[in-house]
Structure formats: structure tokens, C-alpha cells
Amino acid sequence: MRTVTVVGASLSGLYAARELRAQGFDGRLVIVGDEPHLPYDRPPLSKDFLTGRSDEGHLALSDAEESTALGAEWLLGVRARGLDAFRRAVLLDDGRTVPSDGVVIATGASARRLPGPAPAGVHTLRTLDDARALRAELTAGPRHVVVIGGGFIGAETASSCAGLGHHVTVVEAAPLPLVPQLGPRMAALCAALHRRGGVDLITGTGVTALQGTTTPHGTTAGPTRGDTVTAVELTDGRRLPADLVIVGIGTIPNTTWLEGSPLAPRDSVPGDGVPCDAGCVTALPQVVAVGDVARVGGTRAEHWTSATEQPRVAVRNLLAGHTAETVRPLPYFWSDQYGARIQFAGRRRDTDTVRIAEGTVTDGAPGEGGLLALYERGGRTTAVLSVDRPRPFMRVRRELARAADEMGAAAS
């Protein structure tokens, strides 16, 4: 194998490049990225970077010394527009072609947007450029901020905006935010953090229109070019004043460039990601996928830990030419909201019982000192949720990981 191309200068793309060198690949290494930036850490964008507590230097995932040691060719600010499966070549928007013996797909995901044109003042928060633009607007004095979507990005952004002194309202279409991840009981406790942080939370209703300065009052016409957002209209008839709107309604895996290839046939369902086996190996020889774009073993997990754990296995299988190892991660994610750190690990089901093992609940929210909740099924712990209880959480997480490894070994 003489040339390996990593498509995506992302967290998972950087980890894949590191693994290629660590596992002995000494050939030509090409890293393609559609952003002009070297790989950076995304989680701080909605937190410390947005509030100004950290700068862009703190986001960098590597330095000049490591970049030199990797010996990679960085093709930044250029998009991949296709994958020639026959020649195993990556086609670029600028007309170049990168012939490759192996390809790592690490193109991540993009922020999902509301349909139709958006007026000025409407933001998503996924990239460094997104965060730069939003941070600049948040420094212009107190504003009415409406956050559409109460998931992790929406909640973290709302928390940061409230901390900066803005009046914030979160609109969530579901009865509660984070129910799929945490279940209704624990989701209700975490939703109460919004109230504790001084943020209004509206649930069970969606958005019908964004109103701009040139749209006549009382109409439902969409915004026109040159509009600046002034209000958000909800499905229940309410109208929320808005100087800024932040859309956090999920992501779409970046697979458009693969359309028409065996990895994204034209009749595939948008949002599915790149299908892989449990070892991140795709249907194309010498092509693997990692991170937010990869549907590994039937599951696409948009978590930092997946993006950092999958590349080791994917690269081993790429260099071996077959699936020599599979990924057996224990799902784990965290979120920082309103001064609290939420951590979750494990695989819960809706039928699991939930028991608060440590801490208390005060006025429907985690009490002072946080809490530790255990999800249980058939007498064993299946998952754990922590709010500001990092040490006991890590202990239970290690126990869950050990049990998962033992079950995986027994099954293989």
C-alpha cells in the first residue's frame, strides 16, 4: 500500500492519520479537508469558545511538530466531490484526482438547517466559522435569543448565551429534551437545569416560520433576502421575539460526495451515513469509514469517544485488507450545561428501571452536589448517568466496560 487518503480533516480523520503512522504505514499520506483549518476540537465551540473563556489556540488538536512528524500532505479548503470505486481515487472539487491504495472516510456531519431561506441573525453551530460568527453577534449587548432544539448542542449553546447575560428561550418539539438518550425520568431532571439557569424551556411545539424586518406583521410569509430575524412563530400560535436564532436540530452525515457510488446509492436513505461492518470496513475493498459519518455495525454514533476509538480498529483492518478486529465500545457521552457536567455511559432500554444511587433531587432538578443514577435490567446495571459525580461515574463506567468486554469475548 503506497498511498492512503484520509477524506476529512476532522477529529476522527486526524486520529486515523496518527494510527496509520503508529501501525507502520510509511507511504504517502494525504489528508483532504473542506474547511481551511487544521483539525480542531468541536465540543468547546458551544462552551468556552463561545463565551470567550478560550481562544482558537485552545481548539487545535495538533501542533506544528506533530504535523511535521505525520509527514502528511494537507489539502485544505477543498471538497471531495466523488469516489471513483473502480480506480479507488478521490475526486476533488478543484479538478484534482488523488489515486489511492486505501481510503479512510472521515467526513463527519453537517448541521441540519430549517427549510427555506434564513434571514440574517439565524445561526447553526457546527464549525469554527459558525462559532466565530455567533460569538461576534453575542458581544453586541443583551439580546433575545431563541434556540431551536433542546439536544446537547442546543442546551450547551443556551447555557453559554444565558451566562453571557442574554434572554434565552429553548424550543423543543418533543415533550422533553434528551428522552431518547436518557429516558423520560432522567430527561426531566436534566431539563430542569434550564429553569435553574434562568432559561425558558418550551416543549411539545415546533416552529412554523421565522419572521424578518421586511415581512409584514401578522403574515406567515417566509423571509426575503436582506431580512434580519425579529421573531419565531410556533405551531401553537405563539410568537417569540428574537434578535438571534440558533438552530440545533441535529446533523446530516456528509455523504453527498459519495452519491452514485456503492457506499451511497441513489436510492439510499439520507442521513444513514456510510454503512460499515463492525470493524469499520465498507463494501468497497480498502475503504473504511470512521466518526460521525460512519454507520458501524448498523449504528451511527455522534460522540467524541467513537471518533477517537474507531480509527485504531479501522486502520488495522485497512492495512490487513480484511476485518481482523471489531469495535466494541461502550457508548459514552458528556455535556456541560449551566455549570453542571452530565455524563452517561452504557446501553439503556426503555424498559430499564432507574435508581438514584447517590445524591438528591431538589425542585425537580439534581440537588446540590449532583446525583448518580443507575439503569438496571434483570438485576444488573446497564447504564449510568452522572450529574457532577465524576468519580463514582468513572467507577461504574469501568465496571460496565469490563462486563461488555467479557460478553463480547464469550460471544466470539
Side-chain angles (χ1 to χ4, degrees):
M1 190 173 291
R2 297 179 180 179
T3 300
V4 173
T5 300
V6 178
V7 187
S10 57
L11 173 68
S12 57
L14 176 63
Y15 270 68
R18 288 172 174 169
E19 285 294 339
L20 281 160
R21 294 309 192 202
Q23 295 187 33
F25 175 70
D26 58 2
R28 182 189 181 205
L29 174 58
V30 181
I31 304 175
V32 178
D34 61 350
E35 295 184 58
H37 317 292
L38 288 167
Y40 57 88
D41 204 14
R42 294 185 191 275
L45 293 179
S46 59
K47 299 183 277 286
D48 285 353
F49 181 79
L50 197 60
T51 59
R53 290 194 297 266
S54 67
D55 57 25
E56 293 183 21
H58 292 93
L59 301 176
L61 290 170
S62 61
D63 53 26
E65 183 179 353
E66 181 185 28
S67 295
T68 300
L70 279 177
E73 298 176 36
W74 294 88
L75 306 181
L76 300 177
V78 59
R79 291 180 180 273
R81 65 172 178 85
L83 178 62
D84 186 328
F86 180 73
R87 292 186 297 159
R88 200 178 300 113
V90 177
L91 313 179
L92 305 182
D93 258 354
D94 62 6
R96 284 180 288 179
T97 298
V98 185
S100 309
D101 302 299
V103 175
V104 179
I105 299 172
T107 44
S110 297
R112 190 181 297 274
R113 300 175 185 274
L114 295 174
V122 177
H123 296 261
T124 57
L125 183 54
R126 180 72 183 179
T127 69
L128 175 56
D129 291 339
D130 291 340
R132 284 172 173 170
L134 180 56
R135 187 163 85 163
E137 290 213 43
L138 290 172
T139 59
R143 319 291 286 275
H144 282 85
V145 179
V146 176
V147 178
I148 302 173
F152 292 115
I153 291 297
E156 290 171 0
T157 306
S159 171
S160 295
C161 291
L164 290 170
H166 301 287
H167 181 276
V168 184
T169 302
V170 175
V171 179
E172 168 59 50
L176 280 171
L178 304 179
V179 169
Q181 295 86 357
L182 306 180
R185 183 183 174 195
M186 293 298 107
L189 292 180
C190 291
L193 294 174
H194 290 285
R195 183 181 67 249
R196 195 168 75 184
V199 169
D200 296 328
L201 174 63
I202 298 174
T203 60
T205 186
V207 172
T208 58
L210 302 178
Q211 292 297 305
T213 52
T214 61
T215 302
H217 180 70
T219 73
T220 58
T224 59
R225 186 178 300 276
D227 282 356
T228 298
V229 71
T230 56
V232 176
E233 293 189 2
L234 306 183
T235 53
D236 63 8
R238 278 181 285 183
R239 184 176 182 273
L240 306 177
D243 303 306
L244 283 175
V245 173
I246 302 164
V247 181
I249 54 174
T251 62
I252 301 174
N254 292 324
T255 58
T256 303
W257 68 284
L258 294 168
E259 286 181 359
S261 79
L263 301 185
R266 299 189 188 281
D267 60 351
S268 61
V269 178
D272 276 357
V274 176
C276 316
D277 67 11
C280 303
V281 175
T282 74
L284 290 178
Q286 303 305 115
V287 178
V288 297
V290 292
D292 291 355
V293 75
R295 192 169 80 251
V296 180
T299 301
R300 194 172 69 87
E302 292 188 34
H303 303 312
W304 196 90
T305 47
S306 300
T308 57
E309 291 173 352
Q310 291 170 359
R312 182 189 63 80
V313 173
V315 165
R316 181 185 175 192
N317 294 335
L318 177 67
L319 297 178
H322 64 278
T323 304
E325 184 178 349
T326 58
V327 178
R328 293 175 182 168
L330 181 75
Y332 165 68
F333 59 81
W334 79 91
S335 179
D336 295 317
Q337 305 173 20
Y338 307 105
R341 166 151 286 200
I342 300 170
Q343 294 173 285
F344 181 92
R347 295 181 175 86
R348 62 163 289 274
R349 294 179 185 171
D350 290 342
T351 54
D352 291 352
T353 59
V354 186
R355 175 171 60 90
I356 296 178
E358 296 184 17
T360 58
V361 176
T362 304
D363 295 329
E368 186 176 353
L371 59 80
L372 185 81
L374 302 178
Y375 296 76
E376 297 172 331
R377 184 189 320 145
R380 64 183 181 87
T381 300
T382 58
V384 56
L385 169 70
S386 163
V387 180
D388 292 334
R389 294 266 173 155
R391 289 188 178 180
F393 173 83
M394 289 304 299
R395 173 179 53 78
V396 179
R397 182 187 174 192
R398 285 194 295 268
E399 293 170 356
L400 288 170
R402 185 164 52 249
D405 286 342
E406 291 171 356
M407 291 180 63
S412 60

mmCIF file of all heavy atoms in Angstrom, residues 12 33 75 144 146 172 207-208 217 226 234 249 282 289 294 299 351 358 370 372 390 397:
data_model
loop_
_atom_site.group_PDB
_atom_site.id
_atom_site.type_symbol
_atom_site.label_atom_id
_atom_site.label_comp_id
_atom_site.label_asym_id
_atom_site.label_seq_id
_atom_site.Cartn_x
_atom_site.Cartn_y
_atom_site.Cartn_z
ATOM 1 N N SER A 12 -11.757 12.471 13.861
ATOM 2 C CA SER A 12 -11.548 11.068 13.502
ATOM 3 C C SER A 12 -10.535 10.940 12.370
ATOM 4 O O SER A 12 -9.763 9.969 12.325
ATOM 5 C CB SER A 12 -12.874 10.412 13.098
ATOM 6 O OG SER A 12 -13.488 11.106 12.032
ATOM 7 N N GLY A 33 -9.463 18.177 3.473
ATOM 8 C CA GLY A 33 -10.436 18.821 4.356
ATOM 9 C C GLY A 33 -11.153 19.954 3.662
ATOM 10 O O GLY A 33 -10.514 20.793 3.012
ATOM 11 N N LEU A 75 -4.457 18.842 2.127
ATOM 12 C CA LEU A 75 -5.199 19.541 1.077
ATOM 13 C C LEU A 75 -6.429 20.155 1.735
ATOM 14 O O LEU A 75 -7.482 19.507 1.855
ATOM 15 C CB LEU A 75 -5.601 18.576 -0.043
ATOM 16 C CG LEU A 75 -4.457 17.765 -0.682
ATOM 17 C CD1 LEU A 75 -5.005 16.883 -1.794
ATOM 18 C CD2 LEU A 75 -3.363 18.680 -1.208
ATOM 19 N N HIS A 144 -32.419 39.006 22.683
ATOM 20 C CA HIS A 144 -33.387 37.922 22.831
ATOM 21 C C HIS A 144 -32.917 36.786 21.913
ATOM 22 O O HIS A 144 -32.894 36.946 20.692
ATOM 23 C CB HIS A 144 -34.788 38.372 22.433
ATOM 24 C CG HIS A 144 -35.479 39.197 23.472
ATOM 25 N ND1 HIS A 144 -35.302 40.557 23.572
ATOM 26 C CD2 HIS A 144 -36.338 38.845 24.470
ATOM 27 C CE1 HIS A 144 -36.028 41.017 24.588
ATOM 28 N NE2 HIS A 144 -36.659 40.009 25.147
ATOM 29 N N VAL A 146 -33.375 32.852 20.699
ATOM 30 C CA VAL A 146 -34.221 31.666 20.645
ATOM 31 C C VAL A 146 -33.387 30.515 20.097
ATOM 32 O O VAL A 146 -32.813 30.620 19.005
ATOM 33 C CB VAL A 146 -35.467 31.887 19.762
ATOM 34 C CG1 VAL A 146 -36.274 30.597 19.650
ATOM 35 C CG2 VAL A 146 -36.329 33.002 20.345
ATOM 36 N N GLU A 172 -38.305 23.105 22.012
ATOM 37 C CA GLU A 172 -38.089 21.681 21.725
ATOM 38 C C GLU A 172 -39.407 21.050 21.292
ATOM 39 O O GLU A 172 -40.410 21.138 22.010
ATOM 40 C CB GLU A 172 -37.533 20.973 22.962
ATOM 41 C CG GLU A 172 -37.516 19.462 22.908
ATOM 42 C CD GLU A 172 -36.703 18.921 21.741
ATOM 43 O OE1 GLU A 172 -35.542 19.365 21.561
ATOM 44 O OE2 GLU A 172 -37.235 18.062 21.004
ATOM 45 N N VAL A 207 -41.685 24.897 15.183
ATOM 46 C CA VAL A 207 -41.551 26.225 14.575
ATOM 47 C C VAL A 207 -42.237 26.218 13.218
ATOM 48 O O VAL A 207 -42.025 25.310 12.405
ATOM 49 C CB VAL A 207 -40.060 26.599 14.428
ATOM 50 C CG1 VAL A 207 -39.900 27.887 13.629
ATOM 51 C CG2 VAL A 207 -39.411 26.720 15.798
ATOM 52 N N THR A 208 -43.068 27.226 12.971
ATOM 53 C CA THR A 208 -43.726 27.331 11.670
ATOM 54 C C THR A 208 -43.071 28.351 10.762
ATOM 55 O O THR A 208 -43.114 28.209 9.532
ATOM 56 C CB THR A 208 -45.207 27.721 11.832
ATOM 57 O OG1 THR A 208 -45.282 28.966 12.549
ATOM 58 C CG2 THR A 208 -45.969 26.660 12.583
ATOM 59 N N HIS A 217 -46.178 42.434 9.514
ATOM 60 C CA HIS A 217 -46.651 41.831 10.768
ATOM 61 C C HIS A 217 -47.971 41.092 10.546
ATOM 62 O O HIS A 217 -48.869 41.566 9.860
ATOM 63 C CB HIS A 217 -46.854 42.925 11.816
ATOM 64 C CG HIS A 217 -47.334 42.380 13.120
ATOM 65 N ND1 HIS A 217 -46.532 41.622 13.934
ATOM 66 C CD2 HIS A 217 -48.541 42.468 13.735
ATOM 67 C CE1 HIS A 217 -47.222 41.278 15.015
ATOM 68 N NE2 HIS A 217 -48.436 41.767 14.917
ATOM 69 N N GLY A 226 -32.185 39.973 2.595
ATOM 70 C CA GLY A 226 -31.991 41.242 3.271
ATOM 71 C C GLY A 226 -32.710 41.335 4.593
ATOM 72 O O GLY A 226 -32.514 42.294 5.328
ATOM 73 N N LEU A 234 -44.442 29.819 16.469
ATOM 74 C CA LEU A 234 -44.549 28.427 16.890
ATOM 75 C C LEU A 234 -45.851 27.809 16.395
ATOM 76 O O LEU A 234 -46.807 28.508 16.057
ATOM 77 C CB LEU A 234 -44.479 28.335 18.416
ATOM 78 C CG LEU A 234 -43.264 28.982 19.082
ATOM 79 C CD1 LEU A 234 -43.299 28.742 20.584
ATOM 80 C CD2 LEU A 234 -41.965 28.473 18.475
ATOM 81 N N ILE A 249 -30.967 21.341 15.526
ATOM 82 C CA ILE A 249 -31.959 20.278 15.307
ATOM 83 C C ILE A 249 -31.313 19.023 14.721
ATOM 84 O O ILE A 249 -31.949 18.261 14.003
ATOM 85 C CB ILE A 249 -33.096 20.774 14.386
ATOM 86 C CG1 ILE A 249 -32.547 21.330 13.075
ATOM 87 C CG2 ILE A 249 -33.922 21.834 15.104
ATOM 88 C CD1 ILE A 249 -33.632 21.705 12.075
ATOM 89 N N THR A 282 -16.026 -0.993 4.826
ATOM 90 C CA THR A 282 -17.150 -0.787 3.925
ATOM 91 C C THR A 282 -17.218 -1.903 2.876
ATOM 92 O O THR A 282 -16.389 -2.807 2.857
ATOM 93 C CB THR A 282 -17.032 0.560 3.194
ATOM 94 O OG1 THR A 282 -16.012 0.469 2.187
ATOM 95 C CG2 THR A 282 -16.696 1.688 4.164
ATOM 96 N N ALA A 289 -14.500 3.588 7.059
ATOM 97 C CA ALA A 289 -15.144 4.847 7.474
ATOM 98 C C ALA A 289 -15.143 4.940 8.989
ATOM 99 O O ALA A 289 -15.301 3.929 9.688
ATOM 100 C CB ALA A 289 -16.569 4.936 6.938
ATOM 101 N N ALA A 294 -19.863 7.457 9.862
ATOM 102 C CA ALA A 294 -19.840 6.000 9.728
ATOM 103 C C ALA A 294 -20.991 5.333 10.468
ATOM 104 O O ALA A 294 -21.244 5.648 11.639
ATOM 105 C CB ALA A 294 -18.509 5.447 10.244
ATOM 106 N N THR A 299 -25.046 1.050 13.449
ATOM 107 C CA THR A 299 -25.288 2.174 14.359
ATOM 108 C C THR A 299 -24.352 3.330 14.031
ATOM 109 O O THR A 299 -23.147 3.128 13.849
ATOM 110 C CB THR A 299 -25.065 1.762 15.820
ATOM 111 O OG1 THR A 299 -25.938 0.677 16.145
ATOM 112 C CG2 THR A 299 -25.343 2.924 16.764
ATOM 113 N N THR A 351 -37.355 -0.135 28.861
ATOM 114 C CA THR A 351 -37.913 -0.965 29.939
ATOM 115 C C THR A 351 -37.024 -1.034 31.172
ATOM 116 O O THR A 351 -37.409 -1.619 32.185
ATOM 117 C CB THR A 351 -38.161 -2.390 29.417
ATOM 118 O OG1 THR A 351 -36.953 -2.904 28.846
ATOM 119 C CG2 THR A 351 -39.260 -2.392 28.353
ATOM 120 N N GLU A 358 -26.910 7.884 44.323
ATOM 121 C CA GLU A 358 -26.239 8.914 45.120
ATOM 122 C C GLU A 358 -26.871 10.264 44.796
ATOM 123 O O GLU A 358 -27.305 10.502 43.672
ATOM 124 C CB GLU A 358 -24.736 8.979 44.806
ATOM 125 C CG GLU A 358 -23.955 7.736 45.158
ATOM 126 C CD GLU A 358 -22.463 7.924 44.902
ATOM 127 O OE1 GLU A 358 -22.018 9.090 44.766
ATOM 128 O OE2 GLU A 358 -21.751 6.913 44.822
ATOM 129 N N GLY A 370 -25.052 17.241 42.935
ATOM 130 C CA GLY A 370 -25.336 16.352 41.812
ATOM 131 C C GLY A 370 -25.970 15.038 42.224
ATOM 132 O O GLY A 370 -26.473 14.878 43.341
ATOM 133 N N LEU A 372 -26.071 10.481 41.027
ATOM 134 C CA LEU A 372 -25.652 9.336 40.221
ATOM 135 C C LEU A 372 -26.849 8.411 40.106
ATOM 136 O O LEU A 372 -27.411 7.987 41.109
ATOM 137 C CB LEU A 372 -24.482 8.595 40.875
ATOM 138 C CG LEU A 372 -23.888 7.453 40.042
ATOM 139 C CD1 LEU A 372 -22.926 8.014 39.000
ATOM 140 C CD2 LEU A 372 -23.169 6.440 40.928
ATOM 141 N N PRO A 390 -18.267 12.784 39.135
ATOM 142 C CA PRO A 390 -17.340 12.147 38.194
ATOM 143 C C PRO A 390 -16.657 10.892 38.719
ATOM 144 O O PRO A 390 -16.469 9.936 37.964
ATOM 145 C CB PRO A 390 -16.323 13.256 37.901
ATOM 146 C CG PRO A 390 -16.407 14.181 39.081
ATOM 147 C CD PRO A 390 -17.839 14.139 39.516
ATOM 148 N N ARG A 397 -18.574 3.193 35.129
ATOM 149 C CA ARG A 397 -18.265 3.087 33.693
ATOM 150 C C ARG A 397 -17.229 1.994 33.446
ATOM 151 O O ARG A 397 -17.353 1.216 32.493
ATOM 152 C CB ARG A 397 -17.757 4.438 33.179
ATOM 153 C CG ARG A 397 -17.461 4.440 31.681
ATOM 154 C CD ARG A 397 -16.801 5.734 31.250
ATOM 155 N NE ARG A 397 -16.394 5.669 29.858
ATOM 156 C CZ ARG A 397 -15.597 6.553 29.264
ATOM 157 N NH1 ARG A 397 -15.123 7.579 29.955
ATOM 158 N NH2 ARG A 397 -15.270 6.407 28.000
#
